[in-house]
Amino acid sequence: MKNNLKVLRAEKNWTQADLADSLAVSRQTINAIEKGKFDPSLPLAFKIAKLFGSSIEEIFEDESEE
């Protein structure tokens, strides 16, 4: 799944570890999501969206819709 998590994180000058701590997940999870190797669970996607003040659709893009 494509996402702009890395860009959003960089805009706040957060490291992957900072974001991981805010979401109570591992840095490796953030890395995998940013690289598109792991799709977050729905509860995690909601937490990410809330943290950035965005909708899930603004952060994540379903590649199957292309």
Side-chain angles (χ1 to χ4, degrees):
M1 178 177 295
K2 290 183 182 178
N3 66 76
N4 61 353
L5 190 56
K6 186 174 184 176
V7 172
L8 292 170
R9 180 176 58 77
E11 287 174 355
K12 294 193 176 274
N13 293 317
W14 289 347
T15 65
Q16 287 181 341
D18 293 334
L19 180 55
D21 288 344
S22 296
L23 297 169
V25 298
S26 70
R27 184 198 58 78
Q28 290 85 354
T29 297
I30 300 302
N31 183 272
I33 293 170
E34 287 184 355
K35 292 183 181 242
K37 294 181 178 179
F38 174 76
D39 293 338
S41 65
L42 191 54
L44 180 55
F46 273 109
K47 285 173 74 173
I48 292 168
K50 185 176 181 179
L51 185 64
F52 287 105
S54 300
S55 69
I56 292 173
E57 293 86 357
E58 291 172 323
I59 300 172
F60 299 97
E61 180 182 331
D62 185 2
E63 293 176 306
S64 67
E65 291 181 358
E66 294 180 350

